[in-house]
Amino acid sequence: MRKHLSIALLSVFMAVCLLVGGVHAAGTPYVVDQTGSLTDGQVSDLNSQAAQVDKATGVAPVFVISDDCDGQAASDYAAALGAKGTYGDQYVMTVINMDRKTYYIAEAGTLAAGLTDSQYDALWDQFSNADSAYAGIQAYITSIQTILTADPGAIPTDRQKQLVQDGAGLLTDSQVQALITSLTKISEARQCEVAVVTVNSLDGKTAQQYADDYYDYNGYGYGTDDSGVLLLIAMDTHDMAITTYGYGITAFTDYGIQYLQDQIRPDMSAGDYASALNVYAQQCDRLLQMARAGHPYDETDAPKQDNTMLVLGGSVIGGTLVALLVMLGLGSGMRTARRQGMAQNYIRPGSMVMDSHFDIFLYNRVSRTPKPRHDDGPSGGGGSSLHISSSGRSHCGGRSKF
């Protein structure tokens, strides 16, 4: 067993992903859909992709979406499928039981058993974070191939570059040295490397791919688990990407990564790069300190907006307008009045008796705190979403513009 987890929102995800149903494609059923979430053509495409991966790696990537797994748990259903020998003695299999809202990832063979728990987590995240079931299974199959074909010997055991690599020339020499000193102190104190890389071009990669690869193939990371966080600044596309690994994945949640980017974006957009990177260093230190204390920064730590003065001001203005309208309305009904010489002439005999009263409710004061919204950030739920880099390792990260 590698992963067995109850997913409360799985049915919602599959409902969003639901497409026109179809009959299973002919050939080796690497991908089996019993729920109608995929079309015939999509099943056929996925099976072709899986067959190619099986041929290239000797490991069959299997993905099964079942209504109820014939009344069995997803784990038992996976074991029964594996026992049939359809996929040989090397496979990675994900089974989803829609009725029980659970999934299970199983493996067989020496190659498949070499995957780490974080890689299995990343395989599930590749599927569950996709826009559709079809795209999610595509990413799942591709990630299995990436993991199995990666060369672990290409990753240096020691860091080969400084914690600051200013390839884009955004800082002066003295600013680079000052930032290196600051990041070195933070990295050693928090036992998690904090790095910055600036480049003029991404060389055809996405910003996230570039950040992941730079981290892996230049030996970044503190300790035996290579813990760290790296910020990439790409001037050609105005992208900034953060990648984390090891303990960095725990310390910098999806929400924490978005928070970091939000903190440095104003200075980055203004061209004050030294200030932006100093803010990055300070905030990394703060978030690592929170994580080491047992409380990684996440959605629950979002600053609450204080709307008290805004609501109070609106209430006063609204109340004044209502009162003014009331007075004008009362005044318009008294236009036939004529000035009298004595005060008693204004009083109608017997009229000064209070036999009832009422209140006029002028306004309501409601204070609300808006839920944080991120257009290009994490989708919610807290924690860290994993992905597979070209090295086959599991990273967390996020990208945005400045």
Side-chain angles (χ1 to χ4, degrees):
M1 170 182 173
R2 284 293 182 180
K3 194 70 180 176
H4 186 194
L5 182 66
S6 174
I7 303 296
L9 296 179
L10 183 58
S11 58
V12 176
F13 168 77
M14 293 304 298
V16 172
C17 297
L18 191 63
L19 304 173
V20 179
V23 182
H24 302 158
T28 304
Y30 296 96
V31 176
V32 179
D33 171 33
Q34 300 173 355
T35 65
S37 298
L38 304 169
T39 65
D40 288 353
Q42 289 172 336
V43 172
S44 178
D45 289 345
L46 292 171
N47 274 304
S48 296
Q49 180 188 1
Q52 292 173 3
V53 172
D54 189 0
K55 182 178 180 180
T57 65
V59 177
V62 184
F63 203 101
V64 179
I65 308 174
S66 177
D67 287 318
D68 62 359
C69 292
D70 295 337
Q72 304 176 69
S75 56
D76 294 334
Y77 195 74
L81 288 176
K84 293 180 179 180
T86 305
Y87 309 109
D89 57 0
Q90 295 269 7
Y91 61 78
V92 177
M93 180 191 301
T94 293
V95 174
I96 297 176
N97 185 324
M98 291 299 298
D99 183 54
R100 301 191 186 187
K101 309 299 184 298
T102 59
Y103 77 90
Y104 183 87
I105 299 181
E107 83 291 326
T110 56
L111 286 177
L115 274 65
T116 65
D117 287 341
S118 64
Q119 287 172 329
Y120 278 92
D121 289 338
L123 287 176
W124 173 254
D125 284 350
Q126 294 288 77
F127 169 74
S128 61
N129 292 330
D131 295 332
S132 68
Y134 176 62
I137 299 174
Q138 278 186 317
Y140 166 85
I141 295 172
T142 299
S143 294
I144 290 176
Q145 182 175 23
T146 300
I147 293 171
L148 295 174
T149 58
D151 178 12
I155 301 175
T157 55
D158 297 314
R159 176 159 51 86
Q160 305 297 305
K161 296 181 181 294
Q162 290 275 17
L163 291 175
V164 178
Q165 292 296 307
D166 186 23
L170 306 183
L171 307 174
T172 65
D173 289 345
S174 60
Q175 288 172 337
V176 168
Q177 290 304 314
L179 186 57
I180 289 175
T181 299
S182 177
L183 296 184
T184 299
K185 290 180 179 179
I186 295 170
S187 300
E188 293 176 352
R190 307 303 177 196
Q191 299 183 2
C192 184
E193 283 196 343
V194 182
V196 171
V197 176
T198 73
V199 296
N200 284 315
S201 173
L202 292 172
D203 298 330
K205 298 180 180 181
T206 68
Q208 192 65 63
Q209 290 170 340
Y210 199 108
D212 293 342
D213 289 349
Y214 202 97
Y215 189 96
D216 290 340
Y217 297 123
N218 288 290
Y220 282 91
Y222 188 99
T224 57
D225 60 350
D226 294 337
S227 297
V229 55
L230 181 147
L231 168 68
L232 171 74
I233 303 297
M235 297 306 294
D236 58 341
T237 58
H238 282 259
D239 277 315
M240 51 183 175
I242 291 176
T243 185
T244 61
Y245 189 76
Y247 183 74
I249 293 175
T250 300
F252 298 92
T253 64
D254 292 346
Y255 202 84
I257 289 172
Q258 181 68 51
Y259 170 80
L260 276 177
Q261 293 171 335
D262 289 345
Q263 294 302 301
I264 67 176
R265 185 176 293 107
D267 286 334
M268 288 296 302
S269 299
D272 192 352
Y273 305 118
S275 293
L277 297 179
N278 283 329
V279 170
Y280 164 75
Q282 295 166 6
Q283 293 299 328
C284 282
D285 187 37
R286 172 179 170 240
L287 268 57
L288 281 166
Q289 184 177 16
M290 290 178 62
R292 291 297 184 187
H295 184 71
Y297 185 94
D298 214 335
E299 284 186 318
T300 55
D301 300 292
K304 302 299 186 295
Q305 182 178 350
D306 187 358
N307 292 327
T308 302
M309 295 305 297
L310 179 62
V311 173
L312 181 59
S315 299
V316 171
I317 293 173
T320 301
L321 290 175
V322 171
L324 180 61
L325 291 174
V326 171
M327 293 301 296
L328 290 175
L330 292 175
S332 64
M334 299 179 64
R335 290 176 182 172
T336 58
R338 296 292 184 270
R339 183 181 180 85
Q340 299 295 318
M342 299 180 65
Q344 64 181 11
N345 293 332
Y346 286 94
I347 303 176
R348 181 177 300 174
S351 64
M352 294 300 292
V353 178
M354 182 178 290
D355 56 7
S356 66
H357 69 278
F358 63 91
D359 296 326
I360 300 178
F361 190 65
L362 298 181
Y363 61 87
N364 183 29
R365 178 172 179 266
V366 180
S367 177
R368 294 189 178 94
T369 302
K371 183 178 180 180
R373 179 177 178 272
H374 302 286
D375 294 333
D376 56 355
S379 59
S384 299
S385 300
L386 298 173
H387 61 268
I388 303 295
S389 71
S390 68
S391 70
R393 302 209 296 184
S394 304
H395 287 257
C396 180
R399 176 200 64 82
S400 63
K401 297 287 187 177
F402 65 90

